Amino acid sequence: LSRVHFDTEARVATLDVPVSVVHGALDLIIPASMGRRVHAAARLPHELLLVPRAGHNDVVESGGEAYWTWLARALDAARP
């Protein structure tokens, strides 16, 4: 549908910062396999969180405490 192509995997491979990815396992818009590939492509992969019962728009709500813990670790890893 989109005419704009953004190669996220190629982009994260160039970053010199830890890359953390969170993704809903039930996402019907962007498959979880894409989140896994982005994380794997990162030069400095940090943490991947797949939220089992989350789709595309409910990762925060469905992730609960696991999401907030992931976010805190991701922010901490990003500090210089």
Side-chain angles (χ1 to χ4, degrees), residues 1 3 7 9-14 16 19-20 22-25 28 39 43 59 62 65 75 77 79-80:
L1 296 175
R3 297 186 195 291
D7 190 347
E9 291 175 55
R11 180 68 178 127
V12 300
T14 69
D16 289 321
V19 174
S20 297
V22 63
H23 206 106
L28 299 177
H39 184 258
R43 181 180 294 176
V59 171
S62 297
E65 189 59 35
L75 293 173
R79 288 186 196 166

Side-chain angles (χ1 to χ4, degrees), residues 5 8 12 25 34 45-46 52 54 59 61-62 67 70 76-77 79:
H5 177 71
T8 307
V12 300
M34 291 180 81
H46 181 252
V59 171
E61 297 85 357
S62 297
Y67 171 82
W70 167 87
D76 192 48
R79 288 186 196 166

Side-chain angles (χ1 to χ4, degrees):
L1 296 175
S2 175
R3 297 186 195 291
V4 177
H5 177 71
F6 189 78
D7 190 347
T8 307
E9 291 175 55
R11 180 68 178 127
V12 300
T14 69
L15 300 176
D16 289 321
V17 296
V19 174
S20 297
V21 175
V22 63
H23 206 106
L26 303 178
D27 192 331
L28 299 177
I29 297 171
I30 301 173
S33 60
M34 291 180 81
R36 285 188 196 99
R37 288 199 319 261
V38 166
H39 184 258
R43 181 180 294 176
L44 298 171
H46 181 252
E47 187 172 343
L48 171 65
L49 174 64
L50 292 173
V51 181
R53 295 186 195 108
H56 188 74
N57 294 317
D58 61 346
V59 171
V60 175
E61 297 85 357
S62 297
E65 189 59 35
Y67 171 82
W68 295 109
T69 301
W70 167 87
L71 181 60
R73 285 194 299 258
L75 293 173
D76 192 48
R79 288 186 196 166

